[in-house]
Amino acid sequence: MKLAQIFKDFEEKLIVQGEEAESLSFVYRSLKNLSFTDFVFALQQEVTEEEKQFVEEIFKKLAAHIPAQYIIGHAEFFGMQLKVDERVLIPRPETEELVELILAENLKDNLKVLDIGTGSGAIALVLAKNRPDWSVTAADISQDALELATENANVQNLNLSFIKSDCFSKISSKYDIIVSNPPYISREDQEEVGLNVLHSEPHLALFADEDGLAIYRRIAEDSKDYLNDGGKIYLEIGYKQGQSVPALFMENLPEKRVRTLKDQFGQDRMVVIDDGEN
């Protein structure tokens, strides 16, 4: 039997399990370190029993709703390969847009940045890499997440600070930029989450009380004590929160401008709080 037929059979079974068929070839190519051309060539080859078992093992993990990035052990983010596992949320393309916005709107040197809920360290690491003159601090309530983020920083040879903190609980400095991609999914919206996300990714990084607004409220209420003059806040939000999150900051920081920006798919995805100079 050719590899193409093996893939066809397992991909059909994956769809029945509610998973994306493309995940099978993605994981296979990654683990085998195959280019797309090499993979296409391999599909036409007769397979050994050992090779069939290799594909079946990948299928079993995907069918058990383990995300592809956890299986291969890393995720691509803003041109960086970051280690990911069950300790952290897998970085999303929408978050890359938030990082692009921060870099585009902040051209000054020597800014101090705080990333709340850093997870894998994705946002903080990209900012530190692209603006080495900035002082970046990454905070998270999860010690496990901080350990993984530190691993990623070491692999990338980046110098930034990590601190275990529940929002601002252990923060004592003031910052020019506060950024956060906090848990923002309402517990009532669990049915909207993919099975691999729901079963495998850390719920602490996914779900929040108050219809997903709990962390935003804490940031809105406390951030004025941790912002330098002219300081800015950049947030990723859920697509349903384009009005509710800005309202929190308009109430708590009435002197600031509050913007809601859409992602590449036309969904409300980012909220920016600043003094209106951009």
Side-chain angles (χ1 to χ4, degrees):
M1 183 180 291
K2 291 184 178 181
L3 185 62
Q5 185 60 51
I6 300 294
F7 266 84
K8 182 175 183 294
D9 293 345
F10 282 127
E11 285 172 346
E12 289 174 353
K13 293 178 181 178
L14 272 181
I15 293 172
V16 173
Q17 295 295 325
E19 294 296 332
E20 295 181 357
E22 296 81 5
S23 298
L24 187 65
S25 59
F26 171 75
V27 174
Y28 180 87
R29 284 179 54 201
S30 298
L31 294 180
K32 291 281 189 176
N33 197 27
L34 293 177
S35 68
F36 181 75
T37 302
D38 289 340
F39 175 63
V40 171
F41 178 76
L43 287 174
Q44 307 310 314
Q45 307 305 306
E46 296 291 327
V47 294
T48 62
E49 184 62 29
E50 181 182 7
E51 188 71 4
K52 180 181 178 181
Q53 290 178 0
F54 182 77
V55 179
E56 185 174 7
E57 286 303 311
I58 298 172
F59 161 76
K60 287 178 179 178
K61 291 177 180 179
L62 292 170
H65 310 301
I66 299 174
Q69 292 88 341
Y70 287 170
I71 298 173
I72 66 175
H74 62 82
E76 299 292 331
F77 185 80
F78 217 88
M80 300 172 67
Q81 190 177 97
L82 301 179
K83 179 178 178 179
V84 293
D85 58 30
E86 289 81 358
R87 291 174 286 179
V88 298
L89 205 66
I90 297 166
R92 266 62 171 184
E94 295 88 338
T95 309
E96 292 183 328
E97 297 184 59
L98 180 66
V99 173
E100 281 186 44
L101 182 67
I102 295 171
L103 292 171
E105 290 191 350
N106 299 276
L107 304 179
K108 293 181 180 179
D109 296 334
N110 302 314
L111 296 180
K112 288 186 64 178
V113 181
L114 173 64
D115 176 22
I116 297 175
T118 196
S120 65
I123 294 174
L125 292 170
V126 170
L127 295 179
K129 181 177 182 178
N130 285 270
R131 295 305 305 266
D133 55 294
W134 288 3
S135 174
V136 180
T137 298
D140 205 289
I141 192 175
S142 167
Q143 184 63 38
D144 287 340
L146 288 171
E147 290 173 2
L148 181 56
T150 302
E151 284 185 54
N152 282 325
N154 291 338
V155 169
Q156 299 293 330
N157 196 27
L158 294 171
N159 183 27
L160 60 160
S161 301
F162 293 96
I163 183 169
K164 188 174 188 293
S165 181
D166 181 4
C167 279
F168 297 106
S169 64
K170 301 297 182 181
I171 304 298
S172 56
S173 298
K174 289 193 174 186
Y175 297 88
D176 302 299
I177 297 172
I178 295 173
V179 56
S180 184
N181 176 20
Y184 57 65
I185 302 173
S186 169
R187 299 184 191 280
E188 285 70 41
D189 289 337
Q190 288 193 25
E191 72 280 357
E192 295 187 14
V193 178
L195 289 174
N196 58 356
V197 176
L198 191 62
H199 284 267
S200 298
E201 297 195 56
H203 285 200
L204 183 65
L206 288 169
F207 300 104
D209 295 331
E210 298 181 39
D211 291 328
L213 297 175
I215 308 302
Y216 297 115
R217 183 181 302 282
R218 294 179 63 185
I219 295 174
E221 291 176 349
D222 297 337
S223 58
K224 59 183 175 292
D225 295 327
Y226 300 94
L227 277 177
N228 285 326
D229 291 342
K232 305 175 183 180
I233 303 171
Y234 289 85
L235 304 166
E236 182 172 325
I237 64 169
Y239 72 95
K240 296 179 180 180
Q241 298 171 325
Q243 294 184 343
S244 55
V245 171
L248 289 173
F249 287 87
M250 290 176 185
E251 176 186 349
N252 287 276
L253 298 169
E255 73 283 2
K256 293 280 192 181
R257 175 181 69 165
V258 181
R259 290 178 285 156
T260 303
L261 304 175
K262 297 184 184 298
D263 62 22
Q264 60 185 311
F265 305 110
Q267 303 275 23
D268 288 339
R269 189 61 63 188
M270 295 165 280
V271 169
V272 183
I273 302 95
D274 59 26
D275 286 351
E277 67 271 23
N278 291 111

